Amino acid sequence: MFLNLEDYLLPCLNKKLFGVDCLGCGFQRAIIFILKGEFVAAFKMYPAIYTLLILIVFALLNLKFQFKHGRKIVLFLAIINILIIIISYFLKIT
């Protein structure tokens, strides 16, 4: 089943047009690795994958349950994710 998903990945327009990876390159493949149970490979492919999943799950739960400090936690998780994405991107291109 998961082998078929790899046939339907969206191409990166930035990479296609300019030949340079974007900040999101590797995210789709990391999700497929997680679905296959290859958790280390998912992290190596896209280091922010787990923190992004935590952010998404928490943000959705916060919409439903309105936690007391939910907005601050979502903001904190978003900042952490942005930093991880930017740092891993610069490490990848150097």
Side-chain angles (χ1 to χ4, degrees), residues 1-10 24-57 81:
M1 176 182 155
F2 300 119
L3 295 176
N4 294 338
L5 288 177
E6 292 175 4
D7 295 336
Y8 298 102
L9 294 177
L10 298 173
C25 279
F27 179 76
Q28 294 178 91
R29 288 175 281 161
I31 292 290
I32 291 175
F33 280 136
I34 288 175
L35 293 174
K36 288 180 177 180
E38 299 176 24
F39 303 110
V40 175
F43 179 78
K44 288 180 180 178
M45 181 62 61
Y46 195 73
I49 188 68
Y50 296 115
T51 54
L52 275 173
L53 291 177
I54 291 169
L55 171 64
I56 291 167
V57 168
N81 277 299

Side-chain angles (χ1 to χ4, degrees), residues 9-84:
L9 294 177
L10 298 173
C12 176
L13 293 178
N14 193 47
K15 193 169 188 173
K16 254 187 172 175
L17 295 175
F18 305 114
V20 180
D21 286 349
C22 70
L23 294 172
C25 279
F27 179 76
Q28 294 178 91
R29 288 175 281 161
I31 292 290
I32 291 175
F33 280 136
I34 288 175
L35 293 174
K36 288 180 177 180
E38 299 176 24
F39 303 110
V40 175
F43 179 78
K44 288 180 180 178
M45 181 62 61
Y46 195 73
I49 188 68
Y50 296 115
T51 54
L52 275 173
L53 291 177
I54 291 169
L55 171 64
I56 291 167
V57 168
F58 185 81
L60 291 174
L61 288 173
N62 189 45
L63 285 174
K64 174 89 173 147
F65 299 110
Q66 295 295 313
F67 298 118
K68 184 175 181 180
H69 298 289
R71 295 183 90 182
K72 290 180 183 179
I73 295 171
V74 168
L75 180 63
F76 174 76
L77 289 172
I79 290 169
I80 293 295
N81 277 299
I82 290 168
L83 289 174
I84 292 171

